[in-house]
Amino acid sequence: MADAQALRTAEAFPLRGVSPARPRRQVRRLGLQGSEFTWAVAFVIPYVGVFLAFVAYPVAYGLWLGSDPALYAELMSEPIYQRTVVNTTLYLVIGVNLKMFGALLLSGFFMRRGWWVKGLLIIYVLPWAVPALPSFMSIHWMLNGQWGLLNNVLWNVFGVDGPGWLETSRWLALGSVITSHIWKWMPFWTVILLAGRMAIPQELYEAAAMDGATGLKRFTYVTFPLLANLYLVCTLLSTLFTLGDFNSVYFVSGGGPALSTHVLATLGIRNAFEIARPELGVAVVMSALPLMIPLVILLMRKLHTTEVTL
Amino acid sequence: MSAAPMDGSPVRRRSNYRLRRNLTEAAALAFGLVLVVWTLTPIYNMVAVSLEPHGDVFTNDIWPAKPSLESFWIVVTEGHWYLEYFWGQFGNSLFVGGATVFLTLAIGSLASFAIGRMRIRYGWLVSNAALLTYVIPASFLAIPFYRIMNIYGLSNNLWAVIAAEVTFATPYAIFIFQQYGVSIPIELDEAARIDGASPTQVYFRIYLPLMAPALVAVGTYALLLAWNEYLYQFLLLSSKRSMTVPVALAQFLNSDEAPWNYMMATAIVYALPPVAIYYAFRRRMTAGLTTGGVKG
């Protein structure tokens, strides 16, 4: 393939009046020559420029801002930060797993035949289609203890006086935030896993049914082994996205009551812009690196190997 | 749940089988109903609050007693202190969205053409850099990004926002384009080059037309990203005239007695275009996501 290409480009050059000056071996290694190489470089330069100016430079600048060890000592002794770490862990462990497992089950549900299931899917993806901000603001008001829809329903229908979901207790507020996050993002992952399920050939199920694998066995011995890799990649990706999720916390609970429901993403912004200590904000974000780096390495490897196996 | 018990297990008597089938169908319907309630409650709340007439937000109604479209009229006519520049802000959002789409498609397709089709040396390095940017949470870069925009002299400038959105949309674009580009035979490029086409001609006449489905998918993604994103727009834009809609929307929360009905009406007007675009391109979006995004 590479030979053929080198040959053809070498043939092409005399036509354009450019003589292939380089020896053959070098041509094969480079793949491109002369003006072609210049063009290729010109084509990648815009992206390389964007990457250097808006990713590499901010990353380096951030590392420099957060390089003072004293910042981390200060963070560790802060009760708000300690609570934030606990919140972030709960948010990741409970939020990501409930969301992904729910998406896995629901993608099976949406494999059912029938017109109403298709219609339901169109409604079900609505949280993904609606921008995050309006939905989370609406949820914020909906959970208002005095005037919110949820407590109005509880009172009018069941005669129960509901709690102030976001105003009174840390755990209620954190639970509300996690639920909102699941509400917003589960449809997205359901659609991805649904596509994964649809890619499984029907013959496999037929063969498995011959061998007596039906019901739950069909899932554990056929569907899940085939979906496992996709499920893992999705979970890793979702963990990183959830770690960076700012909107759910900021607009549903706003970090309250009494700063007890912050996560790393929102606390970093608060430190940097509300109490005007950017280096402390960067330190908050950087403290997620021990979790992020292994995740990123694992995910990059997975994304590469899956390209090959497909 | 995956095991739809319709097929498979041989049931001896037909009526028995039918009964079971009807029962599972009924259970599925009941579950579907729960799912609809779960999905639509926050959206129902948004609509119900926006239909409350002036000042009647503080009620215990489940549906407004006298629903009215007054709030929407206020939004459309910019009839409130917080909505002074609504249409200008709407225009800003459109401008940011349009510029993000154009730049993301241009930069992303040029880069993946050079990497995937022209096979430039160290191309893998560039695509790895893109992949790395894709998996790093954008909100984690916000603080240094904000400071760097000040260094570049772009504070309170829409181009700073465009730069941010393009930065976070292009990696996904490169990822999708490279995956999709594999399905286009490289022989087409080679044949064109033998006929004397220059790289730019190959790019414009062969690569771009054949990449059309991927371009649509990525374009939609970039547009929705730019329209929906909040954090960077909030940090980078400070004056009312230069704000985009989501920033203006969140401004409502600054006052103690936020006019929730106007706010929810604004939210609905803001949410309608992306929802329409989403449903119009739904198949393309999911196709793009599953072929490139996270296929395992």
Side-chain angles (χ1 to χ4, degrees), chain A residues 11-32:
Chain A
E11 277 171 1
F13 274 107
L15 287 173
R16 300 204 343 232
V18 181
S19 58
R22 292 164 202 250
R24 187 75 178 281
R25 202 183 295 152
Q26 212 178 349
V27 169
R28 201 198 294 170
R29 201 168 51 106
L30 278 173
L32 299 167

Side-chain angles (χ1 to χ4, degrees), chain A:
Chain A
M1 186 66 195
D3 265 64
Q5 201 202 357
L7 200 88
R8 279 183 212 175
T9 40
E11 277 171 1
F13 274 107
L15 287 173
R16 300 204 343 232
V18 181
S19 58
R22 292 164 202 250
R24 187 75 178 281
R25 202 183 295 152
Q26 212 178 349
V27 169
R28 201 198 294 170
R29 201 168 51 106
L30 278 173
L32 299 167
Q33 335 161 272
S35 69
E36 299 241 323
F37 182 74
T38 319
W39 274 115
V41 170
F43 284 174
V44 278
I45 274 183
Y47 181 66
V48 173
V50 166
F51 182 80
L52 292 178
F54 302 122
V55 181
Y57 184 21
V59 166
Y61 191 74
L63 290 172
W64 177 75
L65 270 178
S67 59
D68 183 3
L71 288 170
Y72 298 90
E74 188 187 340
L75 269 188
M76 295 302 163
S77 62
E78 252 183 32
I80 297 176
Y81 177 76
Q82 292 161 4
R83 255 180 274 151
T84 300
V85 171
V86 174
N87 292 341
T88 310
T89 313
L90 288 174
Y91 192 50
L92 289 179
V93 171
I94 299 175
V96 172
N97 285 307
L98 270 185
K99 175 178 60 182
M100 295 311 296
F101 193 65
L104 180 66
L105 295 183
L106 281 168
S107 67
F109 176 77
F110 283 114
M111 288 292 279
R112 292 179 70 92
R113 270 166 250 141
W115 61 269
W116 68 267
V117 179
K118 289 201 177 69
L120 184 63
L121 183 61
I122 290 176
I123 298 174
Y124 173 67
V125 292
L126 201 58
W128 173 24
V130 176
L133 218 58
S135 310
F136 290 147
M137 284 177 161
S138 168
I139 291 175
H140 177 81
W141 182 245
M142 193 174 96
L143 296 178
N144 182 292
Q146 256 184 302
W147 314 110
L149 177 72
L150 187 60
N151 282 356
N152 286 350
V153 169
L154 285 179
W155 177 250
N156 288 348
V157 180
F158 302 104
V160 181
D161 212 357
W165 298 91
L166 303 171
E167 301 100 343
T168 49
S169 133
R170 173 189 179 189
W171 304 116
L172 273 183
L174 192 64
S176 304
V177 170
I178 293 176
T179 311
S180 312
H181 172 87
I182 293 175
W183 177 84
K184 166 80 181 150
W185 291 112
M186 199 160 62
F188 170 77
W189 297 108
T190 307
V191 169
I192 301 283
L193 290 173
L194 183 61
R197 277 183 193 258
M198 300 236 245
I200 298 173
Q202 197 57 38
E203 294 87 64
L204 278 178
Y205 286 122
E206 281 160 17
M210 284 300 195
D211 295 340
T214 53
L216 190 62
K217 274 189 185 163
R218 194 173 103 132
F219 178 76
T220 47
Y221 291 112
V222 186
T223 313
F224 195 72
L226 288 167
L227 276 185
N229 198 34
L230 176 64
Y231 187 77
L232 183 64
V233 172
C234 287
T235 307
L236 290 173
L237 207 52
S238 164
T239 308
L240 283 167
F241 290 169
T242 308
L243 190 62
D245 184 14
F246 173 85
N247 293 339
S248 320
V249 179
Y250 190 75
F251 285 103
V252 173
S253 78
L259 305 176
S260 64
T261 58
H262 269 293
V263 292
L264 293 175
T266 53
L267 189 71
I269 298 295
R270 182 190 123 85
N271 282 350
F273 297 99
E274 279 172 43
I275 58 176
R277 291 201 50 197
E279 60 307 325
L280 202 63
V282 169
V284 170
V285 168
M286 295 253 289
S287 67
L289 285 183
L291 171 67
M292 261 179 73
I293 291 171
L295 274 180
V296 166
I297 292 172
L298 200 61
L299 191 60
M300 300 266 290
R301 280 212 184 140
K302 275 279 166 195
L303 285 174
H304 272 291
T305 51
T306 47
E307 267 173 40
V308 178
T309 52
L310 268 169

Side-chain angles (χ1 to χ4, degrees), chain B residues 172 176 213-214 217-218 282-294:
Chain B
Y172 179 76
I176 297 285
V218 170
R282 195 166 71 95
R283 293 198 183 279
R284 283 280 168 76
M285 274 193 74
T286 47
L289 285 165
T290 44
T291 50
V294 280

